[in-house]
Each structure stands twice: as C-alpha cells, then as structure tokens.
Amino acid sequence: MQIGMVGLGKMGGNMAERLRRGGHEVVGYDRDPAVSDVSSLRELVDRLQAPRAVWVMVPAGEPTQLTVNELGELLDEGDLVIDGGNSHYVDDQRHAEELKAHGIGFVDCGVSGGVWGLQNGYALMCGGDKASVERLMPVFETLKPEGEDGFVHAGDVGAGHFAKMVHNGIEYGMMQAYAEGWELLEASDIVKDVRGSFSSWRTGTVIRSWLLDLLVRALDDDEHLDELKGYAQDSGEGRWTVQAAVDHAVPLPVITAALYARFASRQDDSPAMKMVAALRNQFGGHAVTSAAGSTEKGADSPGADVTPPREAQ
C-alpha cells in the first residue's frame, strides 16, 4: 500500500521504516530536509496516488492543527488523514468535522511502542468509521506486533486516542508504584542488592511486565541512578486522563497521585512544603531549615521563645 508519512522523528521515522520493510511504499515529509523525501506537504500529496492516505506524526496541539488545516486544502474528496500523534480525543472530533467538509476521511490512532516499535511492532488503538479503518488494515497489520493482539478498532472518531490516553494514565500509575518501591528498597539497611531484587521479580511474579524489564535495564546502566535528576515531564495525556475522570465522575486516585508526583518532581524548593514546614513550626515548635541551609530553633528547642497565640474570641 502507498502512504504518506508527515513527521519523521523517533516514532514517525521508525514507523515509516517498518512499513517499508513490510513492502509498503512510503513518501515521507519532515521539516528536516536530511530525512525528508519531499520538500513540502504539497509535493507529498502530488507524489501519492488517489485515493490517498496520509499519516500525521507531529506533536499534539497547534502543530497537528496546522498540518490538518493544510492537508484539508491539498487533499481531494475520498482521501484519508490518520492522526497517530498524542492528540486529545476532543481535537480528533473537531478535525474529523473540518476534513469532512472537504469530503476527506479521518482516523485517529493512538500508537504505543516507543523506540522499540521498529523491532517489536506498535500497539495501535484506532477510532473512526469501519470503512476507513478497514481500508487501512494492510498498514495496521504491518505496524502491529505479530499475533492476535496489538490492534483494536476502539470505536468512533476519538476512541483511539481516548484509549491511548487511558493507557498512558495506567502507565503513570505503574511507573510511580515501581519508583516508590525502588526508593524504599534503596533506603533499607538490610537489602543489599536492590537491582537483583527487581530482576528476581521478572519471572514468576504477578508484577512482571515490560516496564519492569526496562527498570532493570536502567539499573544496569546506573545502579543507583546517581547520574539522573529526580525530574519527570508529562506528555499531557496524564492530565487529560484525570480531566476525563472528572468529566465522567470516575475516581482515579492512583493515576491522579502519579500525575501530581510528576508535578512535585519539578520543584527544587516546593512552595507547599515551605508552608508545611512553617505550620509544623507554629503548632508543634518543630525546627525549620532556612533557605541558606541552616537549621533554626523551633518552639520545642532549648532556648526558643514562642508566645502562644490568643484564643479565638
């Protein structure tokens, strides 16, 4: 099958390569001319035979919106656009309506597999009408891992990215649980082989997973993670998962806590913890640490002089 691929970064470039290895003809476009087959979206469209299929793998938000807008002007009735980035499912619904006005079909496809996808295949979660998804099945079959699993036509437009959003929310919770377990083991005086403990769980336990394999791989490279700073970014999908939970009145305490933990990781000096320290000093007289790093006496420290507040009238 012939397909256009817009965005040839780590994911898009490897996906294009996997499709080529599977016998498909891929015309790729990227702003980096060193990896691009064509110099513009117009040239990409001109190189494809009608009815065309163009897969978009650019960052969510404005980059995707601008790309969809331009493709809407360049493509013809009967052509298809696939958004394989990490777009918000609400944006998918808007993009589908915008393209429908030009007679252009739209499929959203959540893609998971990261840098290992070229070798192992990509898990694909698609949303859109049945005819459009079936038309793209040769591409999906090549991109997905071998075997029964790895692909789902999840539902209407937006369903693919909604499923991928929930997938990433679950991933947040799983990573946070592994991370907290690692921190506790590292803090223990009696566990001498933390890396070995995690590795022992990879076979025969209920918490074995690919994430656990990757955790052990990370410890192989840096056993105590001394070379890393405790800062974790979020792609936006964790936030969308929590917001969707609010919209649907579904409690997500684990995923929400994992998202907030990432926010906390970005604070070198947490404002909230400053207030916690100040309040502990006020009601309990606990010692506090100044911004300069020195420890100041609390009310329960020898020599401290703290006058109790007046009772409320």
Side-chain angles (χ1 to χ4, degrees), residues 144-219:
K144 68 181 283 295
E146 295 182 6
E148 290 183 30
D149 299 322
F151 172 84
V152 63
H153 180 189
D156 299 331
V157 167
H161 279 141
F162 195 99
K164 176 60 166 30
M165 175 187 75
V166 174
H167 165 279
N168 280 27
I170 293 170
E171 179 185 295
Y172 275 45
M174 291 176 66
M175 285 194 289
Q176 185 65 24
Y178 281 135
E180 291 175 6
W182 171 80
E183 183 175 359
L184 181 56
L185 286 174
E186 282 280 311
S188 167
D189 293 330
I190 60 174
V191 176
K192 306 302 182 184
D193 187 357
V194 174
R195 183 258 173 217
S197 298
F198 273 97
S199 186
S200 73
W201 300 341
R202 296 165 69 187
T203 305
T205 76
V206 295
I207 65 166
R208 62 187 185 274
S209 71
W210 187 39
L211 272 177
L212 183 58
D213 293 339
L214 294 176
L215 185 155
V216 173
R217 179 186 173 92
L219 296 180

Side-chain angles (χ1 to χ4, degrees), residues 217-232:
R217 179 186 173 92
L219 296 180
D220 285 340
D221 295 336
D222 182 6
E223 185 174 0
H224 302 289
L225 303 185
D226 295 325
E227 299 177 11
L228 297 180
K229 182 179 180 181
Y231 178 104

Side-chain angles (χ1 to χ4, degrees), residues 18 112-114 116-124 142-146:
R18 185 172 173 90
S112 182
W116 298 90
L118 174 60
Q119 174 183 336
N120 299 332
Y122 300 88
L124 307 172
T142 300
L143 287 174
K144 68 181 283 295
E146 295 182 6

Side-chain angles (χ1 to χ4, degrees), residues 96-112:
E97 288 300 315
E98 292 167 351
L99 292 172
K100 185 178 179 180
H102 299 276
I104 302 167
F106 180 86
V107 171
D108 62 286
C109 188
V111 181
S112 182

Side-chain angles (χ1 to χ4, degrees), residues 25-194:
E25 180 186 350
V26 180
V27 180
Y29 169 68
D30 193 273
R31 289 186 300 176
D32 180 0
V35 299
S36 189
D37 300 317
V38 294
S39 60
S40 66
L41 278 180
R42 178 175 293 279
E43 186 179 350
L44 178 142
V45 170
D46 289 343
R47 287 268 298 270
L48 299 175
Q49 299 173 358
R52 306 171 184 85
V54 179
W55 192 304
V56 178
M57 286 297 292
V58 301
E62 186 178 11
T64 295
Q65 182 67 65
L66 292 174
T67 303
V68 169
N69 291 347
E70 189 171 354
L71 288 173
E73 298 298 326
L74 294 172
L75 294 173
D76 297 324
E77 185 174 348
D79 292 344
L80 264 175
V81 172
I82 309 98
D83 180 6
N86 286 329
S87 292
H88 195 197
Y89 69 96
V90 175
D91 292 343
D92 293 326
Q93 295 165 345
R94 185 179 69 255
H95 295 157
E97 288 300 315
E98 292 167 351
L99 292 172
K100 185 178 179 180
H102 299 276
I104 302 167
F106 180 86
V107 171
D108 62 286
C109 188
V111 181
S112 182
V115 296
W116 298 90
L118 174 60
Q119 174 183 336
N120 299 332
Y122 300 88
L124 307 172
M125 297 142 269
C126 294
D129 66 83
K130 184 177 180 181
S132 296
V133 173
E134 287 184 349
R135 176 176 152 190
L136 295 165
M137 281 309 300
V139 168
F140 295 148
E141 288 288 351
T142 300
L143 287 174
K144 68 181 283 295
E146 295 182 6
E148 290 183 30
D149 299 322
F151 172 84
V152 63
H153 180 189
D156 299 331
V157 167
H161 279 141
F162 195 99
K164 176 60 166 30
M165 175 187 75
V166 174
H167 165 279
N168 280 27
I170 293 170
E171 179 185 295
Y172 275 45
M174 291 176 66
M175 285 194 289
Q176 185 65 24
Y178 281 135
E180 291 175 6
W182 171 80
E183 183 175 359
L184 181 56
L185 286 174
E186 282 280 311
S188 167
D189 293 330
I190 60 174
V191 176
K192 306 302 182 184
D193 187 357
V194 174

